[in-house]
C-alpha cells in the first residue's frame, strides 16, 4: 500500500494518519502542529496541520487537517503548497491577535516554547487586524505551590484539558463558555490550589506556551545538561529527565520515550526533588560523644565503626551483629550491603524494608509459582479484559500505574476491587467488596468456592500444569459461605458476582498491594491469590497473572540482591552447603556463614534479649516506620553500636552512635528494579552534596576497613558491580550497564541480553508445577487479644503527596499541599464519639496513644478507622502492634485494635 | 477521540439518569455550587465537566437565568424589522434586563416572535402582549401549508394503528428496508444530502449490542421551520421512521434531540409517544426526548451527540463517524427529522415510486419554509426539481415588497440575488452548480432597503456567537470578521480587502465543521453580487 507525498510514492502503515505518515517519511517539522501531542487523541482544533490532498496526480485538491485524516491507498498529499503556507500563516495571524506581543520569541535567558518554535517555523506574520476583544488581561493564578497559570498566553489548544483526562484520568481542567469567549477553567472555575488537582503536572508539560508553567519553569530552562534517571519514589520506576544548571537540579520532565511512564509522572517524581540540597541534609560524618553528635573525618568514623564492629564480633560472635539494608538504595548498594554483612562480618543477619511490606509476596509467590516477583508487565493492562485489584490504592501509592488503572476502570473494563476502604478506584469498579480488615483469606476462599460451584475452573490448565488442586478444592467446598459472609461483612451475591466476573474473563490481571501482605495471614493471602489465578488459567500469558505493586522504588531489587536472612543474592538458600560453597567461590572467600540469619523483628527481639549488640543501618528509619515504636526504641537502647547511613536526621539517626552521611539518588550511579522486574539505570545527575558519599562507596570503604577488599576496586563503580552481580545471580546472566540502555531490562535476563516480559509462560512454572495451598481464615491475635477493649480497627495507608515516613517529601513543597496526617472516621462513629472534622482525638491501643486530627469520611465502614504515617508529629507506629505474618513476620499495620476519644 | 473517559462515565447512567438533563435541571434551579459538585461526584467526574457544559448553552448560563422573555433575533425577524418595536413594547411589561434573545423561534412567517414561559408567540399590539404576559395562553403557531405534486410529508394520517401496520411486513426483513431506501435514493435532509440507506447499512454491520437511532431535531437555521412543522403536525411519520430504522439496524433506543426554542414541538412529540404507548405500538422500542438548551452548533451531528452525553457540544473529529462511534461511542444512525419522516411513504409505496419523483439524484420532495415577505408565507412540500421561480410565484404568491436577494438554506446557505432565481431548480445539484446551497431549503427574503453589509455582519455575528470555540479559524476568525464589519460601519475604518479575503479563505479551508466552513459561502455571494453596495467599506 502506497500513498504519495509531493508526487513521490511511499509505503503507508495501516491506521496511520496523514500527519503520522508525512512525519514518519520526512521529519517532525514537515508539518507544523499546535494542538497535537503524540500521547493524546487527535483533536483537530488548531488546523495548522492542514494539507492538500488529491485522488490523482495533479487532480483537484481538498484541504484537510492531516492530524485526524487517515492516509489511504493512492492518496496524493501536498503539504507545503502556497495555499497551505498561506493558510497556516493566516491561522497564526489570527492566533496572534489574542496573544501577548512580547511573547513571540523567547528572551535570551530562556529556551523557546514549542509554540514559539512553531510560529517561527511558519513565519510570524504582521498582524493586520484592528485591535479587538482579547484575553490578555486574565489574572494569573499563582496559588498552587508548583503549578502556575497565565492564561493570557493560552492559545486554546486544549492540550492541558486532554492531558488531564487522557493521561492522568482527572478532569480538573476544562473549557468554559463558547466561541471567542472560551477559556480554560480549573474545577469550579477556581485556582489550581483550590481545585481537586492531583498536581501531576501533565498539563504543564504538554502546554505549548507558558500559559501553564511550574514553579521551576522547567519547560523553558536552558540546562547545562539533562540526565535521564529512575525515580526514587515508589515501584513504578518512572524515568525522569533532570535538568542541571550550575551543578544544581533545576527541573524535571518525563521523557516521552520512557516505556514505563510514557512521558508522564506524578507530583513526587516531577516536583518533589528539593529535598536533595535541603539545609537538613546530613553533610558530615558524625560520632556521638557524650550524647551529642560531633563532626569527624570519614577516616575517624570508619576507624571507629570498624574497631567497634570487630570488637563486638570477637567478643560475642558475628551473629551479634545485624544489618538493615534499604529498598531506596540501588541494587549495587544492596548487593554490597548484604555482602558486607555476610562476607566482611560473617553473619546472615541481613534484612531490609521488604520485611515491612512485600516479604509475604516474595515468599507466597515462591511457594505457589517458584518466583517471588510480578508475573507480568504493566503494559499488559492494555490486553486485560478484567482487572482484579486487591488491597491497594495505586492512585495514591503508585500514581502512574494508578492513572493507567483508572483510565481502564473509567472506560468500563470489568474491574473487581477488594479493600476495606472505598477508594476512588473502588467507586469506579464494576465489583467492590468492602471487607472487614483482616479477612482476606476468608474472602478469597469465598471467591474460590463460587468459581468452583459455578463450574468456571480451567480444569485443563489445573491438570496439566499444577498440583494439589483437589486438596484445595475439597477444603474450600467444605466451608460455610454464610459464616464467611458474616465474617467478611460482604454479601454472598457480591462475592459470587465478582468471582464469576474474574473467572469469565479471557485475561484477568491481578494487582495487589500492602493490603494483602501487611497482615497476620499475609503470605497465605498471596498463595490464595495465586490459587485463584491458577484455577482460572490466568498465569503465563499476556494480560494476566499476579502483579504486586511494590511499595518502594527498589523493593524488588533489594530482595533480588539477597537482602533477606534466608536467601542470598538471586534467592539461593543460604542454609544449603552447596549454595554456601557457590557464594564463597563467587565472593572469593573461604567460608560463608552457615545458618540463616534473623529477620528484623527477630533482631529487635534479640537486642532486647541482649543477644544482638550492633546494628548497621543503611537508609532506613526503623524507629518511625516499624510497628510498636516503644518496643523498637527499647531494642535500640540495648545496643552497643548503632551505625546509620542516612540523608537526614531521622528518628533512627538520632539514636545512632555514628552517622555516615549518604548521597541521594541524584548523586550516584546504579540501578533500581521496578515492580515488573525491570532493572533500570540510575544515572548520576550531580556530584555528592557536601561531604557525603554514595552508600555503595561507604560500604566498599567499610568492607575494606573490616578486612575485605571488594574485587571491583576501592571506588564504587556501578557498572563493574553489575558485572559481579551478573556473575553471581543466575537469572541476571546477561545484565550489563550498557545493555540496560534507557528503558532497562526485565529479568530473567538471558546471557545474550534478551529479557522477559512474562513469567511462567504456557504453564512452565519456575518450580515445575504450580502448587495449590489451602488455608482457613484465622482471626488476627490482635483482634482476639485486644478486640474487646479496643473495639475499632485501625488500618493505615499512604497519601499521594507523601512517601512513607516523609523524610524526603516533607522537605519539599509537597508539605504545603498536605501537611498533616488525618484519622478517617465514619460519620456514625464520629457522631457517637462527638467529634467532627479537624477535632483532635487521642487514639490508643494496647501499646500506647497518639493524638491526631479527624476527617469524617464515608470511605471507611463503621468501626473502621484509617490513617497515614507520614508525619512525625503523629508517630502512628507508637500504637501499632507486634503481630505479624506468620511466615515472614511482616507486621500487621493494616489491623490494629484501637479506641479513640475527643480531647 | 477526546473525552472517552467522561463519555464512558456518562454512559453508565445513560439516558434515564442523563448527565445533560441533570446539568440542565441544576442550572435552571440556580442551586449552590455544592449541588453541582454532588452531581459531578455522583457521575465520578469533576466539577469542571459540569460547569464547562453549563457555561456553553444560552439557556443554562448563569447570567441568563434571570431572563423571562426571549425575543427572536433570527434572520427573518431581523430583515422584517419587527423586533426593536417588540422589545420596546415588552419592556413596558417586563423589566428590560429580564429580556433576552434567542436566534429564531420558527415564526419566520409572521415575525414579532418571542419565547415566554415555555411558549412561543408572535404579537405586536400592546393589548395582545399584555394578555400573553398575564395569561400565557397556549396559542398554535399557524401558517399556510401547501404541497406540489405528491404529498408525502404533508399528507394526513387518518388512523395511527393502521399507519403502524406497515411495520409488520418489514420487521423480519431488515434487508428489505435497506433495499427500498437504497432504491429511493433518499438523501439526508439536514443539508448535507448524504444517502440515507448507507448509514443504516453501516450501523447494521457493526457488531455491538448497544446501538442508537438519533433524530436531529435541532432545527437551528434561522428562517427554517419545516422540522417544527413535521414534529407538530406529522409526529408519527418521524417516530415511525426512527422505529423502523431501529428495528432494521438492531437499536432499541431512539433519541430525539429537539431544540429548546420549540417547546410546542416537544409537547407534540411527547403526546405522540404517549399515544404509541397507549396503543401498544412501541414494539419494545424506547424513545427519549432530549431538550436542547440553546446552542446552534448542536445541529452539527457530532456536537449533538456530545450534547446528549453531557459533554461540551464541541465538534468531534471524523473519522470515526457516528455509524461506528456515535452516541456514547456506540454505533448510531443519526439523521434529520425530515429524513425519518420520508421513510413510511417509501416503504409503503416502494423506493422506486419515491425515486420517480424529483430530479436526477435529488429524489422525492423537499419541505420549503417561506418567510413573511411572501404574499403567502408558510410551509410547502415541493417536489425536487421544481423551478425556484414557481416556488416563489405559484406557491408563495410573490413578494409583498421589493426583494433584492434571498438567503436560502439557513445562515450558511447562499445569498441568491433575485436575478439568479430563474436559473435555479429546487434540488441539491442545481444549487451547488450555481454556487449556492439547497441546505434545509428555508427562504429568507432580503428587501431592497436592507443593507447587505448589515446582513453579512449579522451572519458573522451569528457564527461568532454560535461557534463552539474548538477550531481556531472559526473561534477567532468569525469574531474578528464580525469586529471588522461592525467597525467599518461605525467608524472611519476601511477593511483591508486582501485581509478579508484571507480571512474568508481561512474559514473556508481551515474550519473543523460546516459552521466556520460554511459561512464564507453567503459572504462570497454577497461580495460577488453586491460589490457596489459593499465597496465603500473596503479598501
Amino acid at each position: 500500500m502506497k500513498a504519495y507525498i509531493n508526487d513521490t510514492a511511499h509505503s503507508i502503515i495501516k491506521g496511520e494518519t496523514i500527519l503520522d505518515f508525512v512525519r514518519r517519511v520526512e521529519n517532525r517539522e514537515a508539518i507544523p502542529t499546535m494542538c497535537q501531542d503524540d500521547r493524546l487523541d487527535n483533536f483537530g482544533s488548531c488546523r495548522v496541520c492542514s494539507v492538500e490532498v488529491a485522488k490523482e496526480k495533479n487532480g483537484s485538491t481538498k484541504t484537510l487537517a492531516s492530524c485526524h485524516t487517515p492516509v489511504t491507498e493512492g492518496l496524493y498529499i501536498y503539504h507545503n503548497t502556497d495555499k497551505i503556507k498561506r493558510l497556516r500563516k493566516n491561522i497564526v495571524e489570527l492566533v496572534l491577535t489574542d496573544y501577548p506581543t512580547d511573547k513571540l520569541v523567547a528572551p535570551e535567558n530562556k529556551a523557546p516554547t514549542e509554540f514559539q518554535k512553531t510560529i517561527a517555523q511558519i513565519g510570524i506574520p504582521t498582524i493586520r487586524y484592528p485591535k479587538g476583544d482579547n484575553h490578555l488581561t486574565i489574572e494569573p493564578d499563582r496559588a498552587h505551590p508548583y503549578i502556575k497559570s497565565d492564561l493570557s498566553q493560552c492559545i486554546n489548544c486544549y492540550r492541558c484539558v486532554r492531558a488531564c483526562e487522557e493521561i492522568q484520568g482527572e478532569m480538573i481542567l476544562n473549557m468554559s463558555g463558547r466561541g471567542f469567549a472560551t477559556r480554560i477553567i480549573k474545577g469550579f472555575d477556581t485556582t489550581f490550589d483550590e481545585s481537586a488537582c492531583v498536581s501531576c503536572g501533565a498539563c504543564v508539560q504538554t502546554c505549548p506556551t507558558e500559559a501553564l508553567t511550574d514553579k521551576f519553569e522547567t519547560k523553558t530552562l536552558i540546562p547545562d545538561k539533562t540526565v535521564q534517571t529512575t525515580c526514587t519514589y515508589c515501584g513504578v520506576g518512572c524515568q525522569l529527565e533532570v535538568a542541571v544548571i550550575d551543578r544544581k537540579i533545576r527541573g524535571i520532565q518525563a521523557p516521552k520515550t520512557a516505556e514505563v511512564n510514557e512521558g508522564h509522572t506524578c507530583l513526587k517524581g516531577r516536583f518533589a526533588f528539593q529535598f536533595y540540597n535541603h539545609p537538613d541534609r546530613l553533610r558530615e560524618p558524625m560520632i556521638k560523644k557524650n550524647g551529642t553528635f560531633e563532626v569527624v573525618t570519614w577516616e575517624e568514623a570508619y576507624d571507629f565503626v570498624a574497631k567497634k564492629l570487630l570488637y563486638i564480633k570477637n567478643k560475642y560472635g558475628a551473629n551479634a551483629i545485624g544489618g538493615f539494608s534499604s529498598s531506596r538504595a540501588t541494587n549495587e548498594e544492596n548487593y554490597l550491603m548484604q555482602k558486607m554483612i555476610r562476607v566482611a562480618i560473617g553473619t546472615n543477619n541481613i534484612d531490609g524494608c521488604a520485611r515491612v511490606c512485600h516479604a509475604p509476596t516474595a515468599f507466597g509467590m515462591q511457594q505457589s509459582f517458584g518466583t517471588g516477583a510480578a508475573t507480568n508487565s504493566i503494559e499488559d493492562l492494555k490486553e486485560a479484559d478484567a482487572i482484579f485489584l486487591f488491597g491497594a490504592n495505586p492512585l495514591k501509592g503508585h500514581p502512574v500505574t494508578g492513572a493507567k488503572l483508572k483510565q481502564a476502570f473509567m472506560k468500563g473494563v470489568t474491574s473487581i476491587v477488594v479493600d476495606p476502604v472505598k477508594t476512588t478506584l473502588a467507586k469506579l469498579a464494576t465489583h467492590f467488596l468492602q471487607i472487614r480488615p483482616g479477612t482476606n483469606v476468608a474472602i478469597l476462599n469465598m471467591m474460590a468456592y463460587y468459581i468452583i460451584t459455578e463450574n468456571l475452573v480451567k480444569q485443563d490448565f489445573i491438570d496439566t500444569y499444577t498440583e494439589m488442586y483437589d486438596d484445595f478444592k475439597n477444603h474450600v467446598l467444605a466451608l460455610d459461605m454464610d459464616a464467611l459472609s458474616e465474617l467478611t461483612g460482604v454479601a454472598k451475591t457480591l462475592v459470587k458476582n465478582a468471582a464469576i466476573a474474574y473467572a469469565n474473563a479471557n485475561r484477568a490481571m491481578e494487582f495487589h498491594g500492602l493490603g494483602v501482605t501487611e497482615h497476620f495471614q499475609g503470605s497465605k493471602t498471596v498463595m490464595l491469590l495465586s490459587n485463584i489465578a491458577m484455577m482460572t488459567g490466568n498465569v503465563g500469558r499476556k494480560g494476566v497473572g499476579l502483579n504486586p505493586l511494590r511499595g518502594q522504588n527498589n523493593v524488588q531489587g533489594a530482595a533480588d540482591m539477597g537482602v533477606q536472612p534466608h536467601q542470598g543474592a538471586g534467592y539461593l538458600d543460604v542454609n544449603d552447603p552447596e549454595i554456601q560453597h557457590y557464594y564463597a567461590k563467587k565472593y572469593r572467600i573461604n567460608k560463608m556463614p552457615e545458618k540463616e540469619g534473623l529477620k528484623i523483628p527477630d533482631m529487635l527481639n534479640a537486642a532486647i534479649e541482649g543477644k544482638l549488640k550492633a546494628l548497621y543501618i543503611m537508609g532506613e528509619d526503623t524507629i518511625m516506620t516499624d510497628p510498636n515504636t516503644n518496643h523498637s526504641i527499647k531494642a535500640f537502647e540495648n545496643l552497643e553500636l548503632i551505625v546509620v547511613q542516612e540523608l537526614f536526621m531521622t528518628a533512627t539517626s538520632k539514636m545512632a552512635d555514628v552517622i555516615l552521611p549518604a548521597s541521594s539518588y541524584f548523586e550516584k550511579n546504579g540501578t533500581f528494579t521496578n515492580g515488573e522486574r525491570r532493572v533500570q539505570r540510575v544515572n548520576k545527575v550531580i556530584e555528592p552534596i557536601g561531604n557525603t558519599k554514595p552508600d555503595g562507596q561507604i560500604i566498599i570503604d567499610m568492607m575494606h576497613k573490616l578486612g575485605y577488599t571488594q574485587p571491583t576496586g576501592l571506588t564504587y563503580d556501578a557498572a563493574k558491580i553489575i558485572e559481579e552481580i551478573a556473575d553471581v545471580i543466575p537469572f541476571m546472566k546477561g545484565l550489563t550497564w550498557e545493555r540496560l540502555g534507557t528503558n532497562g531490562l526485565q529479568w530473567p535476563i538471558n546471557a545474550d541480553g534478551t529479557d522477559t516480559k512474562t513469567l511462567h509462560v504456557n504453564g512452565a512454572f519456575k518450580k515445575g508445577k504450580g502448587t495449590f495451598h489451602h488455608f482457613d481464615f484465622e482471626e488476627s491475635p490482635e483482634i482476639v487479644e485486644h478486640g474487646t477493649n479496643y473495639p475499632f480497627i485501625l488500618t493505615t495507608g499512604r497519601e499521594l503527596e507523601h512517601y512513607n515516613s516523609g523524610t524526603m517529601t516533607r522537605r519539599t513543597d509537597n508539605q504545603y499541599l498536605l501537611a498533616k496526617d488525618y484519622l478517617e472516621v465514619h460519620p456514625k462513629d464520629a457522631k457517637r464519639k462527638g467529634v467532627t472534622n479537624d477535632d483532635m482525638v487521642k487514639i490508643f491501643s494496647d501499646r500506647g496513644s497518639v493524638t491526631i486530627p479527624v476527617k469524617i469520611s464515608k470511605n471507611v465502614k463503621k468501626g473502621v478507622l484509617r490513617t497515614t504515617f507520614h508525619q512525625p508529629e503523629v508517630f502512628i507506629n507508637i500504637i501499632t502492634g507486634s503481630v505479624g505474618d506468620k511466615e515472614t513476620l511482616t507486621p500487621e499495620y493494616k489491623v490494629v485494635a484501637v479506641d479513640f476519644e475527643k480531647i | 477521540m477526546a473525552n472517552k473517559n467522561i463519555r464512558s462515565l456518562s454512559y453508565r447512567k445513560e439516558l434515564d439518569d442523563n448527565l445533560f438533563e441533570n446539568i440542565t435541571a441544576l442550572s435552571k434551579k440556580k442551586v449552590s455550587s455544592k449541588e453541582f459538585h454532588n452531581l459531578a461526584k455522583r457521575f465520578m467526574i469533576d466539577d469542571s465537566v459540569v460547569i464547562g457544559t453549563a457555561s456553553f448553552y444560552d439557556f443554562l448560563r448563569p447570567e441568563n437565568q434571570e431572563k423571562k422573555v426571549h425575543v427572536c433575533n433570527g434572520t427573518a425577524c431581523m430583515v422584517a424589522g419587527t423586533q426593536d418595536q417588540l422589545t420596546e413594547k415588552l419592556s413596558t411589561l417586563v423589566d428590560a434586563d429580564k429580556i433576552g434573545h434567542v436566534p429564531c423561534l420558527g415564526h419566520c412567517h409572521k415575525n414579532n416572535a418571542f419565547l415566554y414561559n415555555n411558549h412561543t408567540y408572535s404579537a405586536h399590539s400592546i393589548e395582545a402582549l399584555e394578555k400573553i404576559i398575564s395569561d400565557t395562553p397556549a396559542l398554535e403557531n399557524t401558517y399556510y401549508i401547501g404541497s406540489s405534486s405528491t404529498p408525502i410529508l404533508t399528507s394526513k394520517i387518518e388512523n395511527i394503528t393502521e399507519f403502524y401496520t406497515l411495520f409488520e411486513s418489514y420487521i423480519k426483513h431488515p434487508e428489505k428496508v435497506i433495499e427500498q431506501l437504497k432504491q429511493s435514493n433518499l438523501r439526508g435532509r439536514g443539508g448535507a444530502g448524504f444517502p440515507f440507506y448507507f448509514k443504516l447499512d453501516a450501523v447494521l454491520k457493526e457488531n455491538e449490542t448497544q446501538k442508537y437511532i438519533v433524530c436531529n431535531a435541532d432545527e437551528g437555521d434561522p428562517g427554517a421551520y419545516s422540522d417544527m412543522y413535521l414534529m407538530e403536525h406529522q409526529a408519527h411519520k418521524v417516530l415511525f421512521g426512527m422505529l423502523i430504522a431501529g428495528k432494521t439496524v438492531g437499536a432499541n433506543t431512539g433519541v430525539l434531540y429537539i431544540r429548546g426554542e420549540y417547546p410546542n414541538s416537544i409537547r407534540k412529540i411527547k403526546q405522540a409517544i404517549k399515544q404509541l404507548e397507549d396503543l401498544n405500538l412501541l414494539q419494545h422500542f424506547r424513545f427519549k426526548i432530549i431538550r436542547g438548551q440553546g446552542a446552534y452548533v448542536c445541529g452539527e451531528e457530532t456536537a449533538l451527540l456530545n450534547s446528549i452525553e453531557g459533554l461540551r457540544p464541541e465538534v468531534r473529529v471524523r473519522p470515526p463517524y457516528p455509524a461506528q462511534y456515535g452516541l456514547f461511542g456506540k454505533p448510531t444512525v443519526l439523521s434529520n427529522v425530515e429524513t425519518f419522516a420520508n421513510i413510511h411513504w417509501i416503504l409503503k409505496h416502494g423506493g422506486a415510486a419515491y425515486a420517480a419523483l424529483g430530479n436526477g439524484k435529488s429524489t422525492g420532495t423537499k419541505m420549503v419554509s417561506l418567510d413573511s415577505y411572501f404574499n403567502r408565507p408558510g410551509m410547502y412540500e415541493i417536489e425536487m426539481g421544481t423551478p425556484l421561480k414557481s416556488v416563489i410565484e405559484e406557491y408563495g404568491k410573490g413578494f409583498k415588497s421589493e426583494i433584492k436577494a434571498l438567503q436560502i438554506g439557513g445562515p450558511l446557505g447562499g445569498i441568491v440575488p433575485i436575478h439568479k432565481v430563474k436559473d435555479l431548480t429546487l434540488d441539491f445539484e442545481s444549487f451547488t452548480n450555481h454556487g449556492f446551497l439547497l441546505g434545509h431549503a428555508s427562504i429568507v427574503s432580503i428587501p431592497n432597503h436592507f443593507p447587505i453589509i448589515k446582513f453579512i455582519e449579522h451572519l458573522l455575528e451569528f457564527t461568532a456567537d454560535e461557534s463552539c470555540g474548538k477550531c481556531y479559524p472559526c473561534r477567532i476568525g468569525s469574531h474578528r470578521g464580525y469586529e471588522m464589519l461592525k467597525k467599518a460601519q461605525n467608524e472611519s475604518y476601511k477593511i483591508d480587502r486582501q485581509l478579508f479575503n484571507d480571512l474568508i479563505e481561512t474559514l473556508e479551508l481551515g474550519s473543523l465543521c460546516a459552521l466556520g466552513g460554511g459561512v464564507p459561502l453567503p459572504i462570497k455571494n454577497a461580495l460577488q453580487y453586491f460589490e457596489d453596495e459593499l465597496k465603500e467599506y473596503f479598501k
Side-chain angles (χ1 to χ4, degrees), chain A residues 41 43 45 47 86 90 97 128 133 155 158 165 171 174-175 177-179 407 409-411 428, chain B residues 1 3-5 8 12 48 55-56 312 314 317 465-467 470 472 479-480 483 502 505 510:
Chain A
D41 286 341
F43 194 64
S45 69
R47 320 303 288 173
R86 188 167 69 237
N90 285 332
T97 62
R128 296 167 290 171
D133 294 338
I155 58 166
Y158 289 70
E165 184 190 341
M171 299 145 194
N174 199 5
M175 204 56 91
R178 76 180 188 222
Q407 297 277 349
F409 278 35
M410 285 192 291
K411 290 189 181 75
L428 285 164
Chain B
M1 177 66 64
N3 298 128
K4 284 197 201 109
N5 293 325
S8 169
R12 293 191 182 192
S48 77
S55 68
F56 195 100
R312 287 169 57 77
E314 287 161 357
V317 294
D465 273 356
E466 300 294 347
S467 167
K470 177 173 170 179
Y472 291 14
H479 193 75
R480 294 287 176 243
E483 283 177 339
D502 282 349
E505 185 188 54

Side-chain angles (χ1 to χ4, degrees), chain B residues 48-64:
Chain B
S48 77
V49 180
V50 173
I51 66 158
T53 292
S55 68
F56 195 100
Y57 297 92
D58 291 334
F59 293 141
L60 304 185
R61 289 179 181 164
E63 65 267 26
N64 287 345

Side-chain angles (χ1 to χ4, degrees), chain B residues 229-267:
Chain B
Y229 160 76
L230 291 169
M231 286 188 281
E232 294 179 13
H233 298 272
Q234 304 285 355
H236 284 293
K237 287 188 184 156
V238 182
L239 296 181
F240 178 88
M242 292 177 69
L243 197 55
I244 193 82
K247 292 293 170 185
T248 302
V249 301
N252 67 350
T253 303
V255 182
L256 295 112
Y257 188 93
I258 308 177
R259 66 195 295 253
E261 293 85 346
Y262 286 177
N264 206 36
S265 299
I266 294 171
R267 283 188 282 269

